[in-house]
Amino acid sequence: MARFVLAGRADCPHLARAQLLGEQLRASLADFQVHEILVQPDEWEVWLDHTCRAHGWSHSGSPVVWRELVGRGGRALLLGGLADFLEHCQQYYGVVTDMSSEMMLKIAAENREAEEKRKEEAQRQASLLQPFHIWIAGALNPACPILIPHLLSEQLFPASSSASSLVVSLHLLHLEGEEEALRALRTEAEELALPLLHQVTAHTGLEEAFRDADVVILLDEQEVAVREEREREKGEEVKEVKEEVSEKDAVKEELRGEKEDEAKEEVKGEKGDEVKDEREVRKDKEEVREKVEEEKVEEKEGEVRAEKEKDVRDEEAKENVEEKGKEARDGKDARDKEREEKDEEARETQREKELLKRASVRYRCYGQLIGERANVRGVVVMVAGDAHLNLKCALLAENAPAIDPRHFVAVATPLEYAARARVAQKLGGRAAGKYVTDVRVWGNLNGAIHLDLQRARVFNHAGAIQGPAFFSRPVLEVLHDGNWLKTDLPAMVSGRRATAASEPQGRAVSMSIAHGILVVLKAWNGVSHPEGEVLSLGVHCQGHPYVPDGVVCSIPVTVSEGGWSPVLEGVHAGDELRETLQLAVDQLRREKEDACSDL
């Protein structure tokens, strides 16, 4: 079974005639189906261009008619305009229509009026919905698909609206991504068919970016492209190395063949010399029998000794030459390797500076747009990922003066939870439900950090003192390896994430990033988070005793009622913490100077 789709401008008289013919065929043929699409005149050209590109057609004017196979799939078949539709109906169904120009204009006017009323009603309905707008920048980051199903949950935003009327508009933004990949992600989100989902939009430009945003989540965007570029470079380098090895193997095989040929020639020559010596000896014996046997033996021995001495000298000279050549080659290889390492280090430094500058330009722009378009009073802006989180958060807050800087946060929970897991493993793992809480992260999330275990506690620890499931003990009372806590633990947490982030597409850290974002969002909205529980967040510090004003630094905070408060009670700011914070502040200032050097 097939159906015909008639699409055109709402005020098009030719569309009116096609509609009349479709009604005649539908009335006379039981299985004939017609679907009509009316488009406002000011939207027609854009709609037609998008439809033709989606189907691979070439058509201009109104109307456009195509044929679809109902329930069987397959591509739609373009018929063309009104004349093509009339000809098709006459040839296949023997039906023609005759309509006066006056009637066509009248129907076209009615169509336009009906479409305007329908559009006004749709706008009125949309204004009543007041959807909750969530924007995700860097939507092609691997953490985004993990986030989406959890973001479309009514338990996540209970304070934003009543459960009966809450709907979510999800907006996906990725400036350097492929449109096809972004459309595929949008389709996947739509096909989740979640009750709260109102609409999903995909954007590769900034025309509508952050419009009416209630929540903004910014994931690594440029870093994904850089990582993919590095993977391509590594692939090309591996290919070049393989080709070079193949060429060296071919040269070695050729040299080995030449040596074998020389050895064979030498053996033949030796055999010929031996035969010649025997003949001469026999001839000498016949001609000179009077010579004494001892003289002949002595003469022969002298020749042998001289030849051996010559061979030894030649062999020693050859070994000396080879040894000197090897030393020269080894020295050259070492110098070349050192030069390559320095060049690679210089290239990496240059890439890092370029990344910083690009991040500066982009996040300044993002900050301005968020300040102009977002829900100024209630928006929360979260920066998550593995690259320059503190800097990005600071740039956003600086360029959105209309929004309270306390609403801009950098997600530090992935580092916090990674440290918890490492400490639990050090204490014997999770074999009996053992877990660690209240580990706090101070400093630069992508640089100098201090893991504060002053308040950390371990549950279900099999020690000398044990209790029920709710019983816990301070970590510092049961873990006495101070060197591990001071040096190894921070290196393991930072190093593991850096290694995982450099893996292809960075998928190894996507789950922890998504989980960290959800933890902060739940705490921000008072969901499934005990009152007074402490989290680590990168925040815009103001009046903090240990961090200079205006610096975005990770500190322990409590989150409630859409805001946060610094935690100072029970914090002992020792020399180690103060030194780390000073180092972190210096790093962040240098980052900002490098990022803004061209501005």
Side-chain angles (χ1 to χ4, degrees), residues 511-541:
M511 188 179 298
S512 63
I513 292 173
H515 177 255
I517 293 171
L518 294 172
V519 167
V520 175
L521 273 177
K522 289 179 179 179
W524 195 271
N525 293 296
V527 179
S528 303
H529 193 76
E531 185 176 354
E533 184 172 351
V534 179
L535 287 177
S536 301
L537 278 182
V539 296
H540 189 274
C541 296

Side-chain angles (χ1 to χ4, degrees), residues 417-437 457-462 515:
Y417 277 72
R420 291 186 189 183
R422 293 292 184 178
V423 173
Q425 291 173 3
K426 183 69 173 178
L427 292 172
R430 299 286 305 267
K434 181 183 301 180
Y435 63 97
V436 175
T437 62
R457 304 190 70 85
V458 57
F459 290 77
N460 298 325
H461 178 62
H515 177 255

Side-chain angles (χ1 to χ4, degrees), residues 240-256 329 332-333 336 340:
E240 291 177 359
V241 169
K242 288 182 177 179
E243 292 176 353
E244 185 177 350
V245 170
S246 300
E247 291 178 359
K248 288 183 178 180
D249 290 342
V251 172
K252 288 181 180 179
E253 189 65 29
E254 184 178 352
L255 291 174
R256 188 180 298 112
R329 288 193 299 272
K332 184 178 181 301
D333 292 342
D336 291 343
E340 290 176 0

